[in-house]
Amino acid sequence: MSTRFSECTPSSPRGVPAGEYEIRATTSGATMAHVITQPCCNDASCVAVCPVDCIHPSPRERAFVRTEMLFIDPDACIDCGACVDECPVDAIVPPEDVTPALEPFVAINAAYYSDRPGSAAPDVVEPVTVAATSGPLRVAVVGSGPSACYVVDALNTIRGLDVEITVLERLPAPGGLVRYGVAPDHAATKSIATLFGRTLGKRGCTVHLNTEVGVHVTHDEVLRHHHAVVYASGANGDRPLGVPGEGLPGSVSARDFVLWYNGHPDHADATFDLSGERAVVVGNGNVALDVARVLAGDVARLIGTDIAAHALEALAASRIREVVVLGRRGPEHAAFSTPELLGLGNLAGVDVTASHSFEAAHANDELTRIRASVLNRYAAAQPTPGNRRIHLQFFGSPTGILGDIRTEGLRIDVNERTAEGGISASGRSETVPADLVIRSVGFMGRPVEGLPFDHARGVLPNRNGAVVDPDSGVQVRGVYTAGWLKRGPSGVIGSNRACSEATAVQIVADFASGKLAVPEGTSEQFADLVEQRQPERLDLAGWKRLDSHERKAGRKVGRPRLKAVDRSEMVDIALGRQASPIG
């Protein structure tokens, strides 16, 4: 079985394998220093502790919102190691710990500075400062994922501010994207949950888990007891392809698949047909690569992760041998990050191929040239008999999902590169046989009842985090947003930090200027209301009970944790009631 797509052969200097030349040229003569590697989450905690300002882009630079990771300047680094202790995901390694698998990141870190000497000062955005206020300021935060935790942390670290924070999470476990969105084989990235746990446990922060706004308490009731409410609940929907046949069984969203293999209680009962030999993932961002790795990789590499037990069992029985990752445009426009692209090449027993390369000489910076070299290596690769395969197919637009009663394939229109670097239709179409088609073309936020909503972008319309009426531009008093519900599904975990800090600053500025209404009820009265409406409300002590239970169950089978995936079982464990064993 093979995918019949046209392939382009990349050019490389004679005698040098494709994909190696640019990296060799970058690393030759480079100073060995501490190196930021694949787990980097853009949290930027390392930036603040660096004594020589050699980690960029910083949150004060415009480039920060677009970067896929942070980079250490090898010429400026003094190897002090301060950044290593501060990194919440262990992404920074000293030179003596750089393994062969990490060597490309030496080149990647150095490449960033080869085109940006000194990190140009004009690219800096001055931070907003807020005068100290009298308190207490009472803020409710809806959600418990990265953006919510960064809001809590930002409010708690403003000097002179007396603040009381209430966190409301509809699930029995906190974490949001970290627990249910990060791929199970990215354990280092998941370790940031420890930092967020400390944030939620700070004095003055009350956490109500298994409590949903709109079900147990209304938006008005929350706002009546707080100066402000921040919606930081992420993007809980997904964008459709909008093609015929999309509703057929076997046509699913990447969001549903990810939540299933990560043990989300609302998705634990889902089923996916893994009996065919080929799956197609439409989209070429990092989530698409996560899905491809999980489907194509040897299931043995997932046994030591926190993947849900039901997913591990289903993947062990999977017959999928090939995953096609389809992108509408060319490789130079793919949305996946270079670290994730590099990671595909480290999967044992899996060949990575690509339909097209792009000329490194046409790239405008060294980082892009390194990215091109990796893709060119994949484009030149030949499948190994007996290996599974991930094929990166570019220049294909899905036009229909084929099948009568269930998915049997995907029809695509073949695009081609224009002289200007864009794409145009070639007039040709192809059919890709597949029993599973997974769309990964973007997440969407969902409306909050009673609040304005931008349905096209899937966000709460806002100005610097303050929700506004899109017609009048008038600010909705006391209502704010952060994270993907604020800006759309962009960036990685740490990208939410600057976003959430900006929202926190706006809240405090509005509080200081008297724009926020004085709450009618107290924090204690609100806690009593929650207890009355939701008798099975959980606090952090309950979560610690559940967390301990999952870890103990995991240790018995050699895994970091064995997730509880049934909501009632999670609640029983958290409340100390008798519960059946997990798994």
Side-chain angles (χ1 to χ4, degrees):
M1 178 188 64
S2 63
T3 308
R4 295 185 299 163
F5 294 126
S6 59
E7 297 193 358
C8 298
T9 302
S11 60
S12 61
R14 184 172 298 175
V16 179
E20 294 185 11
Y21 173 70
E22 290 81 357
I23 292 181
R24 286 182 183 175
T26 303
T27 56
S28 60
T31 302
M32 289 298 288
H34 279 68
V35 179
I36 297 180
T37 61
Q38 186 275 331
C40 178
C41 68
N42 290 25
D43 174 83
S45 297
C46 55
V47 173
V49 299
C50 179
V52 291
D53 191 29
C54 74
I55 305 176
H56 296 274
S58 77
R60 296 179 61 196
E61 299 171 52
R62 292 189 181 91
F64 180 80
V65 298
R66 302 184 303 273
T67 191
E68 57 188 31
M69 61 180 286
L70 305 183
F71 309 89
I72 291 177
D73 186 342
D75 294 325
C77 177
I78 59 173
D79 289 343
C80 68
C83 55
V84 176
D85 295 332
E86 197 67 23
C87 178
V89 294
D90 297 327
I92 305 176
V93 298
E96 63 270 18
D97 291 342
V98 174
T99 64
L102 296 178
E103 283 179 359
F105 290 97
V106 177
I108 288 171
N109 278 250
Y112 181 80
Y113 295 94
S114 68
D115 298 295
R116 301 167 180 80
S119 190
D123 198 41
V124 173
V125 179
E126 291 301 323
V128 178
T129 58
V130 177
T133 64
S134 59
L137 165 64
R138 294 210 295 274
V139 179
V141 180
V142 181
S144 66
S147 59
C149 289
Y150 281 128
V151 168
V152 173
D153 185 62
L155 289 170
N156 269 318
T157 53
I158 295 178
R159 291 182 180 178
L161 179 66
D162 182 10
V163 61
E164 297 175 1
I165 302 172
T166 303
V167 174
L168 296 152
E169 167 59 59
R170 73 179 188 87
L171 295 173
L177 173 65
V178 176
R179 181 175 169 96
Y180 296 118
V182 176
D185 56 351
H186 284 354
T189 304
K190 286 177 175 285
S191 65
I192 199 171
T194 301
L195 174 67
F196 292 150
R198 289 198 295 266
T199 297
L200 295 178
K202 288 182 178 179
R203 193 177 72 173
C205 183
T206 302
V207 178
H208 300 287
L209 304 172
N210 202 35
T211 305
E212 186 171 359
V213 177
V215 174
H216 302 111
V217 290
T218 67
H219 164 79
D220 289 340
E221 287 172 333
V222 177
L223 195 53
R224 199 176 300 142
H225 292 81
H226 300 85
H227 291 92
V229 55
V230 184
Y231 285 92
S233 49
N236 296 316
D238 61 274
R239 293 183 183 277
L241 292 175
V243 300
E246 190 169 11
L248 283 170
S251 169
V252 301
S253 76
R255 176 181 171 275
D256 290 344
F257 188 69
V258 168
L259 294 175
W260 169 76
Y261 68 58
N262 272 324
H264 193 292
D266 294 346
H267 296 261
D269 293 333
T271 57
F272 299 90
D273 186 356
L274 308 180
S275 63
E277 292 193 344
R278 179 186 290 128
V280 178
V281 182
V282 181
N284 54 18
N286 285 345
V287 173
L289 295 194
D290 286 346
V291 170
R293 280 198 324 278
V294 169
L295 284 172
D298 187 346
V299 72
R301 61 188 289 274
L302 297 175
I303 292 175
T305 73
D306 69 349
I307 189 170
H310 58 254
L312 191 63
E313 181 180 355
L315 290 166
S318 171
R319 296 181 59 196
I320 291 175
R321 304 290 300 174
E322 182 182 35
V323 180
V324 177
V325 180
L326 180 67
R328 184 176 65 89
R329 305 178 72 184
E332 61 269 37
H333 300 294
F336 44 64
S337 68
T338 303
E340 292 296 331
L341 186 65
L342 278 165
L344 288 184
N346 296 325
L347 295 174
V350 178
D351 293 322
V352 183
T353 59
S355 64
H356 295 76
S357 62
F358 69 101
E359 293 293 336
H362 296 164
N364 58 9
D365 64 85
E366 188 64 25
L367 276 176
T368 303
R369 286 189 283 273
I370 289 178
R371 179 186 178 87
S373 74
V374 178
L375 278 164
N376 291 351
R377 185 173 72 241
Y378 294 156
Q382 296 299 318
T384 304
N387 275 4
R388 292 175 296 278
R389 183 185 183 195
I390 295 175
H391 180 69
L392 307 177
Q393 173 64 32
F394 301 101
F395 294 112
S397 296
T399 57
I401 295 175
L402 308 176
D404 294 325
I405 59 175
R406 61 159 292 105
T407 296
E408 297 177 2
L410 180 71
R411 185 174 60 247
I412 66 171
D413 281 349
V414 178
N415 302 318
E416 55 189 12
R417 188 186 280 120
T418 66
E420 295 76 24
I423 62 169
S424 63
S426 68
R428 295 182 290 112
S429 63
E430 294 181 352
T431 296
V432 187
D435 297 300
L436 180 65
V437 174
I438 301 178
R439 61 183 179 275
S440 182
V441 291
F443 295 158
M444 293 277 289
R446 289 179 173 168
V448 177
E449 186 176 357
L451 296 180
F453 192 73
D454 184 336
H455 291 273
R457 295 182 57 217
V459 299
L460 290 173
N462 68 91
R463 188 165 50 244
N464 203 33
V467 174
V468 298
D469 183 288
D471 297 323
S472 65
V474 175
Q475 183 173 328
V476 180
R477 193 177 194 185
V479 184
Y480 300 82
T481 185
W484 284 4
L485 197 55
K486 171 185 175 181
R487 67 182 192 277
S490 62
V492 292
I493 289 173
S495 306
N496 293 292
R497 183 172 184 169
C499 169
S500 295
E501 287 175 350
T503 295
V505 167
Q506 187 63 52
I507 293 170
V508 176
D510 290 346
F511 176 58
S513 62
K515 290 183 179 179
L516 303 181
V518 177
E520 297 176 16
T522 66
S523 298
E524 292 76 13
Q525 289 172 332
F526 182 73
D528 290 342
L529 177 65
V530 170
E531 291 276 6
Q532 176 186 343
R533 298 283 183 77
Q534 170 54 316
E536 295 196 322
R537 164 261 179 193
L538 305 176
D539 56 15
L540 277 186
W543 156 242
K544 289 178 180 178
R545 222 174 274 123
L546 174 59
D547 180 49
S548 175
H549 182 97
E550 290 182 342
R551 291 179 185 274
K552 287 179 181 177
R555 283 195 293 271
K556 292 179 180 178
V557 292
R559 301 180 60 193
R561 73 167 65 237
L562 202 56
K563 287 181 180 175
V565 299
D566 178 80
R567 184 187 288 264
S568 60
E569 181 184 34
M570 295 171 76
V571 172
D572 283 344
I573 296 168
L575 291 177
R577 302 192 294 231
Q578 187 66 33
S580 58
I582 300 176

